[in-house]
Amino acid sequence: MIPLSHHEILRHVGPFARAGHHVDLARSDRAARVIEFKPVVHPAPATAARPGQLTEVLRLDLSDPTAHLLRTVTTDADLEATLDAHGTDLATLLERILAVPPEAHFRTVNGTMIADSFSCPDDPGQPLKLHESRTGVHGFQITLDARTVVGEPMTVTLAPPDPQAPADLPADLVAVLGAPYKLMRLRQGAWKFLLYAPTREPQRSTVTLERFARAIAHLDQVLGDAPAAFHERHRAARWRVWARRLTPLAVGVTIIAALPLIDRFFLTDETTMNPLIFGIPNFLIVAFIYVSRHEMPNLELPPFPGPLAADAWLPTTASSTGSSATGEERDVPTLPSKRDHG
């Protein structure tokens, strides 16, 4: 890789300088062919939900034939969002990036600010594609990762302040919002759940933004209240989640119970067996696996929904690894999840 020369830098940064973005030579990496630009501070718009300034920084990567332009926008509270684009015409790349106002990365839900990161699609006529959303709610750092393959659900992570002592959250904390929101699982000191959205753009990004905002508003309300209030407010929804969790076991039992019925209804005579006897169970199993292809079905008898422990939102400690107030098991961060509150 040929390092960037001073004259080559001057040849590339003309459109940026005219737009008010000047090269920061101290932070640029000529050997890696990366040009960093000096921060540009934007005052918060009059319509912003919170006062403050937004700091914009551009980074131009010329290490590949197709240039990569990345914009990072940071709030006064260090909430960060990005926007990137790829192309060969630097003036067009810059125009596409600057066409998105810095404040468009930030939205407020019930007083909680969310930072959304996007990428510009190859087709300039298409809307922005969501990459990631970040926010903080009652001490939890919440991240939605939308960078998945086509058709796959997205992962939402709730990272507690202390990964060694995560709060004792119920598995159905967000699943009570409906089918697109799956069960929470404790993985490596953080709580995670899957969020479903349409598989195609632009509906995928649009619906994901809406569903993530709904989850944040829900978490802000629930975690800001007493744990007992969650069960009282969402009692019916928790039972619906319980029924969904029971579905894999019910389907498995149904397949096994159907085997004698298949023999009874498809037996042609006393000596000849219908080939469907062998094919139908396999078809049912394949169909079951296809429906559950995004997440491993859990053949379990889920615990009945019940009131949560009074300290469910508080970090767990070494002395609290036994049974909770509801008589259910707790998770150990380094082991697969064994405990759910329902």
Side-chain angles (χ1 to χ4, degrees):
M1 183 183 299
I2 302 176
L4 285 170
S5 66
H6 182 72
H7 293 288
E8 193 175 4
I9 292 176
L10 292 177
R11 179 164 55 88
H12 288 309
V13 300
F16 297 85
R18 289 190 291 271
H21 294 269
H22 303 285
V23 176
D24 188 340
L25 290 176
R27 299 185 61 183
S28 298
D29 189 343
R30 295 189 181 187
R33 298 183 65 81
V34 173
I35 302 174
E36 295 271 359
F37 293 85
K38 295 180 179 179
V40 175
V41 178
H42 301 274
T47 57
R50 294 183 180 181
Q53 297 178 328
L54 301 177
T55 302
E56 178 185 35
V57 176
L58 297 181
R59 181 180 185 272
L60 179 62
D61 188 343
L62 299 171
S63 59
D64 291 326
T66 301
H68 177 212
L69 180 59
L70 175 69
R71 178 178 75 175
T72 302
V73 183
T74 309
T75 68
D76 290 346
D78 291 331
L79 196 59
E80 185 178 283
T82 62
L83 174 65
D84 69 333
H86 293 79
T88 55
D89 189 307
L90 298 185
T92 301
L93 275 185
L94 181 63
E95 182 181 353
R96 294 173 65 187
I97 292 290
L98 297 184
V100 181
E103 60 269 19
H105 289 281
F106 304 96
R107 53 195 171 122
T108 303
V109 177
N110 290 355
T112 300
M113 183 175 287
I114 301 175
D116 299 315
S117 297
F118 301 93
S119 65
C120 295
D122 295 334
D123 183 0
Q126 295 295 320
L128 300 177
K129 180 180 179 181
L130 180 67
H131 266 187
E132 184 181 76
S133 292
R134 287 180 175 270
T135 189
V137 175
H138 296 288
F140 287 87
Q141 296 301 313
I142 306 177
T143 304
L144 170 115
D145 186 0
R147 291 166 293 188
T148 61
V149 299
V150 176
E152 289 296 312
M154 287 148 286
T155 301
V156 180
T157 302
L158 283 73
D162 183 4
Q164 301 302 320
D168 191 21
L169 302 181
D172 60 354
L173 184 65
V174 182
V176 294
L177 294 178
Y181 306 86
K182 299 306 178 182
L183 295 173
M184 277 194 175
R185 302 296 186 190
L186 186 59
R187 297 289 184 267
Q188 298 178 342
W191 291 96
K192 299 184 179 184
F193 68 91
L194 296 179
L195 176 62
Y196 282 72
T199 59
R200 302 293 181 182
E201 296 289 352
Q203 291 82 8
R204 182 173 177 84
S205 292
T206 302
V207 173
T208 298
L209 290 170
E210 296 173 355
R211 290 178 177 173
F212 184 68
R214 186 185 178 197
I216 295 305
H218 171 75
L219 289 169
D220 181 57
Q221 179 190 53
V222 168
L223 297 177
D225 208 342
F230 169 72
H231 179 69
E232 293 301 322
R233 185 180 297 116
H234 300 282
R235 185 191 301 267
R238 298 193 77 195
W239 278 106
R240 288 194 293 269
V241 174
W242 180 87
R244 294 206 307 263
R245 296 178 66 179
L246 188 64
T247 300
L249 179 62
V251 172
V253 171
T254 301
I255 292 175
I256 296 174
L259 296 180
L261 298 178
I262 293 173
D263 180 71
R264 176 180 180 84
F265 289 104
F266 289 93
L267 190 63
T268 56
D269 54 50
E270 296 182 355
T271 59
T272 306
M273 296 181 63
N274 193 310
L276 289 176
I277 295 176
F278 303 101
I280 289 179
N282 294 332
F283 173 77
L284 293 174
I285 294 173
V286 170
F288 178 57
I289 294 175
Y290 176 78
V291 172
S292 308
R293 64 192 182 279
H294 295 306
E295 53 183 334
M296 183 66 66
N298 193 4
L299 299 177
E300 61 173 346
L301 181 61
F304 296 131
L308 305 182
D311 61 347
W313 301 163
L314 300 177
T316 58
T317 61
S319 61
S320 63
T321 55
S323 298
S324 66
T326 58
E328 299 165 3
E329 296 180 356
R330 293 177 182 264
D331 262 332
V332 179
T334 56
L335 297 176
S337 176
K338 293 183 179 179
R339 152 252 170 239
D340 293 311
H341 282 294

